Amino acid sequence: MNIQRAAVIGSGLMGSGIAQSIAQGGYSVALYDISETALQRSLQSIEKSLLRFVKAGQLTEGTVEQILGQIETYHDLSEACADVQLVIEAVPENLDLKKQIFAQLDDYAPAHCILATNTSELSVTAIASATRRPQAVLGMHWFNPAPIMRLIELVKATDTSDEALQAVEQFSHAIGKETVVVRDAQGFVTTRALAAHILEGMRILEENIASREDIDKAIRLGLNYPMGPLELADLCGLDTLLFASEGLVEAYGDRFRPPQILRKLVEAGHHGKKTGKGFYSYEKK
Ligand code: NAD
C-alpha cells in the first residue's frame, strides 16, 4: 500500500511534532484534536519550530509557508480520517481512551487504512482489539522532539500484518526517519531502557550522591549522552514517566519502582518543562 496522506489524532506535544515531520517530509496531513485551543497552540508551535529550522539554515522562509500549507486542522474526527491511508493516534496515555478512539477510527477511516498508535508503553495488541482490523494496527513510537529525532520504533502487535508493517516502514523512510521493528512487549526497547536510565538518575539524586546539575553533567560529559537523566525527565514529562514506570513495575517487577521524588513532584503538579517546573524551573518567556 502506498501512503500519500495521513491523519494525526491529538495535537499535543507529540501530535504537533508528528504532523510537522510528515508535512516536512512532503506529505499532506490532517490534524485533529478534541480541543480547539490545542489545535491553535499546535499550529503556533509548529510555525515556531519551522522558523528555528530556517534560523539554522535548514529551511527557507518560502518552504515554511509550503509546509504549513500541507497541514489541515479538523474538529471532526470522521472528516479528518476520510481519504487517508494512515492514521497516527497521539492522545494521552490511557488504554481506555485509546481503545475508544480506535473503535471510532475503525468506523470512520477507509477500509484499507492503517491505524497506528504512538503509545510509549501500552499494549498495542490490546488497543488493536478495539477494532475489526487488528491486522492493520501497529505501534508507531516517535520521540520528542519528533521533527529532530531520527528514530521511529515500529511495534508489531500479535495480529499486525507484514503488509501494514512494510507500508509504514516505507512511509517512515520516505519522510526521512530510521526505523526499528520490535515485538509488542511492555515498554518495547526504548521506553524500557529510558525508564531504567532516568529512574536510576532520580535514585542517585534521592541518595544525595550529587546535585541534580552534577548528575546531569556527569552523564552528559562522562557518558557522552546529549542530555542528563533529570533534564531529560523534565522534557519527557514527569507524569508520563510515573505512569510508564508503574506499567513497567507490573511487567518486570521492582526494578522499575518509581522513586518517591518523582511521585511527590507529580502530586505537586510539577510535571517538568511543560508545567514550568520539575527537577528544574523554567521561566516563562
Ligand atoms: P499531550 O498531553 O501533549 O497531548 C495529547 C493531546 O490529545 C492534547 O492536545 C489533548 O487535547 C488531545 N486529546 C485528549 N483527548 C482527546 C480525544 N478524545 N480526541 C482527540 N484528542 C484528544 O500528550 P503527548 O506528550 O503528546 O503524548 C501523546 C501520546 O504520545 C501518549 O500516548 C504518550 O505516551 C506518547 N508519547 C509521548 C512522548 C513524550 O515525550 N511526551 C514520547 C513518545 C510517545
PDB file of all heavy atoms in Angstrom, residues 131-157:
ATOM      1  N   THR A 131     -10.657  -2.812  17.443  1.00  0.00           N
ATOM      2  CA  THR A 131     -11.036  -2.639  16.031  1.00  0.00           C
ATOM      3  C   THR A 131     -11.415  -3.980  15.399  1.00  0.00           C
ATOM      4  O   THR A 131     -11.131  -5.038  15.967  1.00  0.00           O
ATOM      5  CB  THR A 131      -9.853  -2.060  15.210  1.00  0.00           C
ATOM      6  OG1 THR A 131      -8.871  -3.097  15.051  1.00  0.00           O
ATOM      7  CG2 THR A 131      -9.218  -0.870  15.894  1.00  0.00           C
ATOM      8  N   ARG A 132     -11.988  -3.888  14.195  1.00  0.00           N
ATOM      9  CA  ARG A 132     -12.264  -5.120  13.434  1.00  0.00           C
ATOM     10  C   ARG A 132     -11.134  -5.368  12.428  1.00  0.00           C
ATOM     11  O   ARG A 132     -11.263  -6.177  11.527  1.00  0.00           O
ATOM     12  CB  ARG A 132     -13.594  -4.963  12.684  1.00  0.00           C
ATOM     13  CG  ARG A 132     -14.799  -4.852  13.599  1.00  0.00           C
ATOM     14  CD  ARG A 132     -16.060  -4.536  12.799  1.00  0.00           C
ATOM     15  NE  ARG A 132     -15.951  -3.276  12.089  1.00  0.00           N
ATOM     16  CZ  ARG A 132     -16.457  -2.116  12.516  1.00  0.00           C
ATOM     17  NH1 ARG A 132     -17.140  -2.061  13.642  1.00  0.00           N
ATOM     18  NH2 ARG A 132     -16.297  -1.011  11.822  1.00  0.00           N
ATOM     19  N   ARG A 133     -10.042  -4.591  12.548  1.00  0.00           N
ATOM     20  CA  ARG A 133      -8.927  -4.751  11.612  1.00  0.00           C
ATOM     21  C   ARG A 133      -7.584  -4.814  12.361  1.00  0.00           C
ATOM     22  O   ARG A 133      -6.674  -4.014  12.064  1.00  0.00           O
ATOM     23  CB  ARG A 133      -8.914  -3.599  10.600  1.00  0.00           C
ATOM     24  CG  ARG A 133      -8.778  -2.239  11.241  1.00  0.00           C
ATOM     25  CD  ARG A 133      -8.684  -1.115  10.236  1.00  0.00           C
ATOM     26  NE  ARG A 133      -9.941  -0.425  10.073  1.00  0.00           N
ATOM     27  CZ  ARG A 133     -10.122   0.586   9.240  1.00  0.00           C
ATOM     28  NH1 ARG A 133      -9.135   1.021   8.507  1.00  0.00           N
ATOM     29  NH2 ARG A 133     -11.304   1.172   9.157  1.00  0.00           N
ATOM     30  N   PRO A 134      -7.446  -5.746  13.289  1.00  0.00           N
ATOM     31  CA  PRO A 134      -6.192  -5.796  14.065  1.00  0.00           C
ATOM     32  C   PRO A 134      -4.961  -6.028  13.197  1.00  0.00           C
ATOM     33  O   PRO A 134      -3.858  -5.662  13.583  1.00  0.00           O
ATOM     34  CB  PRO A 134      -6.420  -6.959  15.043  1.00  0.00           C
ATOM     35  CG  PRO A 134      -7.530  -7.749  14.469  1.00  0.00           C
ATOM     36  CD  PRO A 134      -8.395  -6.805  13.699  1.00  0.00           C
ATOM     37  N   GLN A 135      -5.178  -6.602  12.006  1.00  0.00           N
ATOM     38  CA  GLN A 135      -4.027  -6.829  11.115  1.00  0.00           C
ATOM     39  C   GLN A 135      -3.457  -5.504  10.597  1.00  0.00           C
ATOM     40  O   GLN A 135      -2.300  -5.430  10.186  1.00  0.00           O
ATOM     41  CB  GLN A 135      -4.426  -7.745   9.939  1.00  0.00           C
ATOM     42  CG  GLN A 135      -5.281  -7.127   8.861  1.00  0.00           C
ATOM     43  CD  GLN A 135      -6.753  -6.881   9.270  1.00  0.00           C
ATOM     44  OE1 GLN A 135      -7.210  -7.346  10.315  1.00  0.00           O
ATOM     45  NE2 GLN A 135      -7.472  -6.132   8.449  1.00  0.00           N
ATOM     46  N   ALA A 136      -4.283  -4.447  10.647  1.00  0.00           N
ATOM     47  CA  ALA A 136      -3.839  -3.144  10.126  1.00  0.00           C
ATOM     48  C   ALA A 136      -3.475  -2.181  11.263  1.00  0.00           C
ATOM     49  O   ALA A 136      -3.405  -0.969  11.062  1.00  0.00           O
ATOM     50  CB  ALA A 136      -4.945  -2.541   9.255  1.00  0.00           C
ATOM     51  N   VAL A 137      -3.275  -2.717  12.456  1.00  0.00           N
ATOM     52  CA  VAL A 137      -2.936  -1.859  13.605  1.00  0.00           C
ATOM     53  C   VAL A 137      -1.507  -2.171  14.063  1.00  0.00           C
ATOM     54  O   VAL A 137      -1.120  -3.339  14.160  1.00  0.00           O
ATOM     55  CB  VAL A 137      -3.929  -2.090  14.778  1.00  0.00           C
ATOM     56  CG1 VAL A 137      -3.543  -1.239  15.983  1.00  0.00           C
ATOM     57  CG2 VAL A 137      -5.362  -1.777  14.340  1.00  0.00           C
ATOM     58  N   LEU A 138      -0.747  -1.110  14.309  1.00  0.00           N
ATOM     59  CA  LEU A 138       0.622  -1.295  14.818  1.00  0.00           C
ATOM     60  C   LEU A 138       1.031  -0.098  15.659  1.00  0.00           C
ATOM     61  O   LEU A 138       0.315   0.909  15.709  1.00  0.00           O
ATOM     62  CB  LEU A 138       1.614  -1.519  13.664  1.00  0.00           C
ATOM     63  CG  LEU A 138       2.063  -0.321  12.830  1.00  0.00           C
ATOM     64  CD1 LEU A 138       3.227  -0.687  11.959  1.00  0.00           C
ATOM     65  CD2 LEU A 138       0.925   0.210  11.989  1.00  0.00           C
ATOM     66  N   GLY A 139       2.149  -0.238  16.342  1.00  0.00           N
ATOM     67  CA  GLY A 139       2.684   0.874  17.110  1.00  0.00           C
ATOM     68  C   GLY A 139       3.660   1.652  16.249  1.00  0.00           C
ATOM     69  O   GLY A 139       4.456   1.065  15.502  1.00  0.00           O
ATOM     70  N   MET A 140       3.548   2.972  16.330  1.00  0.00           N
ATOM     71  CA  MET A 140       4.490   3.844  15.620  1.00  0.00           C
ATOM     72  C   MET A 140       4.981   4.802  16.689  1.00  0.00           C
ATOM     73  O   MET A 140       4.358   5.827  16.941  1.00  0.00           O
ATOM     74  CB  MET A 140       3.725   4.556  14.496  1.00  0.00           C
ATOM     75  CG  MET A 140       4.583   5.016  13.362  1.00  0.00           C
ATOM     76  SD  MET A 140       3.574   5.847  12.109  1.00  0.00           S
ATOM     77  CE  MET A 140       4.884   6.362  11.006  1.00  0.00           C
ATOM     78  N   HIS A 141       6.057   4.436  17.347  1.00  0.00           N
ATOM     79  CA  HIS A 141       6.507   5.155  18.537  1.00  0.00           C
ATOM     80  C   HIS A 141       7.562   6.192  18.143  1.00  0.00           C
ATOM     81  O   HIS A 141       8.679   5.846  17.781  1.00  0.00           O
ATOM     82  CB  HIS A 141       7.064   4.145  19.556  1.00  0.00           C
ATOM     83  CG  HIS A 141       7.484   4.759  20.837  1.00  0.00           C
ATOM     84  ND1 HIS A 141       8.455   4.236  21.639  1.00  0.00           N
ATOM     85  CD2 HIS A 141       7.062   5.882  21.476  1.00  0.00           C
ATOM     86  CE1 HIS A 141       8.608   4.992  22.708  1.00  0.00           C
ATOM     87  NE2 HIS A 141       7.781   6.000  22.623  1.00  0.00           N
ATOM     88  N   TRP A 142       7.142   7.467  18.243  1.00  0.00           N
ATOM     89  CA  TRP A 142       8.009   8.594  17.872  1.00  0.00           C
ATOM     90  C   TRP A 142       8.698   9.116  19.129  1.00  0.00           C
ATOM     91  O   TRP A 142       8.316   8.773  20.242  1.00  0.00           O
ATOM     92  CB  TRP A 142       7.182   9.722  17.261  1.00  0.00           C
ATOM     93  CG  TRP A 142       6.471   9.391  15.997  1.00  0.00           C
ATOM     94  CD1 TRP A 142       5.488   8.474  15.835  1.00  0.00           C
ATOM     95  CD2 TRP A 142       6.673  10.001  14.716  1.00  0.00           C
ATOM     96  NE1 TRP A 142       5.065   8.475  14.527  1.00  0.00           N
ATOM     97  CE2 TRP A 142       5.764   9.399  13.831  1.00  0.00           C
ATOM     98  CE3 TRP A 142       7.522  11.005  14.235  1.00  0.00           C
ATOM     99  CZ2 TRP A 142       5.687   9.766  12.490  1.00  0.00           C
ATOM    100  CZ3 TRP A 142       7.443  11.370  12.904  1.00  0.00           C
ATOM    101  CH2 TRP A 142       6.537  10.753  12.035  1.00  0.00           C
ATOM    102  N   PHE A 143       9.644  10.020  18.906  1.00  0.00           N
ATOM    103  CA  PHE A 143      10.396  10.581  20.028  1.00  0.00           C
ATOM    104  C   PHE A 143      10.343  12.099  19.986  1.00  0.00           C
ATOM    105  O   PHE A 143      10.166  12.689  18.923  1.00  0.00           O
ATOM    106  CB  PHE A 143      11.843  10.046  19.988  1.00  0.00           C
ATOM    107  CG  PHE A 143      11.845   8.552  20.092  1.00  0.00           C
ATOM    108  CD1 PHE A 143      11.709   7.757  18.956  1.00  0.00           C
ATOM    109  CD2 PHE A 143      11.871   7.934  21.328  1.00  0.00           C
ATOM    110  CE1 PHE A 143      11.621   6.380  19.043  1.00  0.00           C
ATOM    111  CE2 PHE A 143      11.788   6.554  21.431  1.00  0.00           C
ATOM    112  CZ  PHE A 143      11.667   5.780  20.298  1.00  0.00           C
ATOM    113  N   ASN A 144      10.475  12.683  21.142  1.00  0.00           N
ATOM    114  CA  ASN A 144      10.337  14.137  21.284  1.00  0.00           C
ATOM    115  C   ASN A 144      11.709  14.804  21.277  1.00  0.00           C
ATOM    116  O   ASN A 144      12.581  14.379  22.038  1.00  0.00           O
ATOM    117  CB  ASN A 144       9.622  14.409  22.623  1.00  0.00           C
ATOM    118  CG  ASN A 144       9.408  15.876  22.867  1.00  0.00           C
ATOM    119  OD1 ASN A 144       9.196  16.642  21.944  1.00  0.00           O
ATOM    120  ND2 ASN A 144       9.489  16.280  24.123  1.00  0.00           N
ATOM    121  N   PRO A 145      11.914  15.844  20.484  1.00  0.00           N
ATOM    122  CA  PRO A 145      11.016  16.478  19.521  1.00  0.00           C
ATOM    123  C   PRO A 145      10.995  15.721  18.182  1.00  0.00           C
ATOM    124  O   PRO A 145      12.053  15.507  17.580  1.00  0.00           O
ATOM    125  CB  PRO A 145      11.626  17.883  19.345  1.00  0.00           C
ATOM    126  CG  PRO A 145      13.058  17.781  19.778  1.00  0.00           C
ATOM    127  CD  PRO A 145      13.199  16.565  20.646  1.00  0.00           C
ATOM    128  N   ALA A 146       9.802  15.353  17.767  1.00  0.00           N
ATOM    129  CA  ALA A 146       9.638  14.473  16.603  1.00  0.00           C
ATOM    130  C   ALA A 146      10.332  14.974  15.327  1.00  0.00           C
ATOM    131  O   ALA A 146      10.914  14.167  14.601  1.00  0.00           O
ATOM    132  CB  ALA A 146       8.159  14.207  16.355  1.00  0.00           C
ATOM    133  N   PRO A 147      10.310  16.278  15.034  1.00  0.00           N
ATOM    134  CA  PRO A 147      10.945  16.701  13.783  1.00  0.00           C
ATOM    135  C   PRO A 147      12.471  16.544  13.801  1.00  0.00           C
ATOM    136  O   PRO A 147      13.109  16.549  12.751  1.00  0.00           O
ATOM    137  CB  PRO A 147      10.578  18.192  13.663  1.00  0.00           C
ATOM    138  CG  PRO A 147       9.407  18.364  14.565  1.00  0.00           C
ATOM    139  CD  PRO A 147       9.599  17.384  15.689  1.00  0.00           C
ATOM    140  N   ILE A 148      13.047  16.400  14.979  1.00  0.00           N
ATOM    141  CA  ILE A 148      14.510  16.310  15.085  1.00  0.00           C
ATOM    142  C   ILE A 148      14.972  14.871  15.307  1.00  0.00           C
ATOM    143  O   ILE A 148      15.969  14.437  14.751  1.00  0.00           O
ATOM    144  CB  ILE A 148      14.998  17.181  16.272  1.00  0.00           C
ATOM    145  CG1 ILE A 148      14.490  18.592  16.070  1.00  0.00           C
ATOM    146  CG2 ILE A 148      16.509  17.052  16.480  1.00  0.00           C
ATOM    147  CD1 ILE A 148      15.432  19.687  16.287  1.00  0.00           C
ATOM    148  N   MET A 149      14.219  14.135  16.123  1.00  0.00           N
ATOM    149  CA  MET A 149      14.655  12.781  16.483  1.00  0.00           C
ATOM    150  C   MET A 149      14.523  11.865  15.264  1.00  0.00           C
ATOM    151  O   MET A 149      13.525  11.904  14.549  1.00  0.00           O
ATOM    152  CB  MET A 149      13.831  12.255  17.656  1.00  0.00           C
ATOM    153  CG  MET A 149      13.976  13.108  18.908  1.00  0.00           C
ATOM    154  SD  MET A 149      15.663  13.159  19.537  1.00  0.00           S
ATOM    155  CE  MET A 149      15.708  11.607  20.397  1.00  0.00           C
ATOM    156  N   ARG A 150      15.533  11.023  15.059  1.00  0.00           N
ATOM    157  CA  ARG A 150      15.601  10.294  13.791  1.00  0.00           C
ATOM    158  C   ARG A 150      14.830   8.977  13.798  1.00  0.00           C
ATOM    159  O   ARG A 150      14.499   8.447  12.739  1.00  0.00           O
ATOM    160  CB  ARG A 150      17.064  10.022  13.443  1.00  0.00           C
ATOM    161  CG  ARG A 150      17.803  11.331  13.150  1.00  0.00           C
ATOM    162  CD  ARG A 150      19.274  11.088  12.896  1.00  0.00           C
ATOM    163  NE  ARG A 150      19.469  10.207  11.762  1.00  0.00           N
ATOM    164  CZ  ARG A 150      20.530   9.402  11.631  1.00  0.00           C
ATOM    165  NH1 ARG A 150      21.442   9.357  12.553  1.00  0.00           N
ATOM    166  NH2 ARG A 150      20.642   8.632  10.565  1.00  0.00           N
ATOM    167  N   LEU A 151      14.575   8.432  14.992  1.00  0.00           N
ATOM    168  CA  LEU A 151      14.016   7.077  15.036  1.00  0.00           C
ATOM    169  C   LEU A 151      12.494   7.040  15.167  1.00  0.00           C
ATOM    170  O   LEU A 151      11.901   7.880  15.849  1.00  0.00           O
ATOM    171  CB  LEU A 151      14.616   6.315  16.236  1.00  0.00           C
ATOM    172  CG  LEU A 151      14.209   4.841  16.318  1.00  0.00           C
ATOM    173  CD1 LEU A 151      14.891   4.027  15.224  1.00  0.00           C
ATOM    174  CD2 LEU A 151      14.512   4.241  17.683  1.00  0.00           C
ATOM    175  N   ILE A 152      11.901   6.045  14.521  1.00  0.00           N
ATOM    176  CA  ILE A 152      10.531   5.630  14.850  1.00  0.00           C
ATOM    177  C   ILE A 152      10.618   4.133  15.185  1.00  0.00           C
ATOM    178  O   ILE A 152      11.148   3.339  14.390  1.00  0.00           O
ATOM    179  CB  ILE A 152       9.546   5.861  13.694  1.00  0.00           C
ATOM    180  CG1 ILE A 152       9.505   7.349  13.305  1.00  0.00           C
ATOM    181  CG2 ILE A 152       8.137   5.405  14.092  1.00  0.00           C
ATOM    182  CD1 ILE A 152       8.633   7.660  12.100  1.00  0.00           C
ATOM    183  N   GLU A 153      10.128   3.795  16.378  1.00  0.00           N
ATOM    184  CA  GLU A 153      10.141   2.386  16.823  1.00  0.00           C
ATOM    185  C   GLU A 153       8.813   1.772  16.381  1.00  0.00           C
ATOM    186  O   GLU A 153       7.747   2.196  16.846  1.00  0.00           O
ATOM    187  CB  GLU A 153      10.278   2.376  18.353  1.00  0.00           C
ATOM    188  CG  GLU A 153      10.493   1.024  18.972  1.00  0.00           C
ATOM    189  CD  GLU A 153      10.715   1.138  20.503  1.00  0.00           C
ATOM    190  OE1 GLU A 153      10.107   2.012  21.151  1.00  0.00           O
ATOM    191  OE2 GLU A 153      11.502   0.332  21.034  1.00  0.00           O
ATOM    192  N   LEU A 154       8.875   0.823  15.468  1.00  0.00           N
ATOM    193  CA  LEU A 154       7.642   0.212  14.950  1.00  0.00           C
ATOM    194  C   LEU A 154       7.327  -1.042  15.764  1.00  0.00           C
ATOM    195  O   LEU A 154       8.193  -1.913  15.914  1.00  0.00           O
ATOM    196  CB  LEU A 154       7.818  -0.144  13.473  1.00  0.00           C
ATOM    197  CG  LEU A 154       8.107   1.050  12.548  1.00  0.00           C
ATOM    198  CD1 LEU A 154       8.326   0.583  11.118  1.00  0.00           C
ATOM    199  CD2 LEU A 154       6.970   2.075  12.601  1.00  0.00           C
ATOM    200  N   VAL A 155       6.113  -1.099  16.268  1.00  0.00           N
ATOM    201  CA  VAL A 155       5.751  -2.190  17.172  1.00  0.00           C
ATOM    202  C   VAL A 155       4.777  -3.136  16.475  1.00  0.00           C
ATOM    203  O   VAL A 155       3.672  -2.731  16.076  1.00  0.00           O
ATOM    204  CB  VAL A 155       5.102  -1.641  18.465  1.00  0.00           C
ATOM    205  CG1 VAL A 155       4.830  -2.791  19.438  1.00  0.00           C
ATOM    206  CG2 VAL A 155       6.000  -0.590  19.111  1.00  0.00           C
ATOM    207  N   LYS A 156       5.215  -4.374  16.330  1.00  0.00           N
ATOM    208  CA  LYS A 156       4.393  -5.390  15.669  1.00  0.00           C
ATOM    209  C   LYS A 156       3.551  -6.066  16.744  1.00  0.00           C
ATOM    210  O   LYS A 156       4.094  -6.765  17.614  1.00  0.00           O
ATOM    211  CB  LYS A 156       5.322  -6.396  14.983  1.00  0.00           C
ATOM    212  CG  LYS A 156       4.647  -7.287  13.980  1.00  0.00           C
ATOM    213  CD  LYS A 156       5.726  -8.087  13.231  1.00  0.00           C
ATOM    214  CE  LYS A 156       5.204  -8.860  12.041  1.00  0.00           C
ATOM    215  NZ  LYS A 156       4.150  -9.801  12.264  1.00  0.00           N
ATOM    216  N   ALA A 157       2.256  -5.841  16.690  1.00  0.00           N
ATOM    217  CA  ALA A 157       1.360  -6.456  17.669  1.00  0.00           C
ATOM    218  C   ALA A 157       1.052  -7.893  17.232  1.00  0.00           C
ATOM    219  O   ALA A 157       1.468  -8.324  16.146  1.00  0.00           O
ATOM    220  CB  ALA A 157       0.084  -5.634  17.785  1.00  0.00           C
TER     221      ALA A 157
END
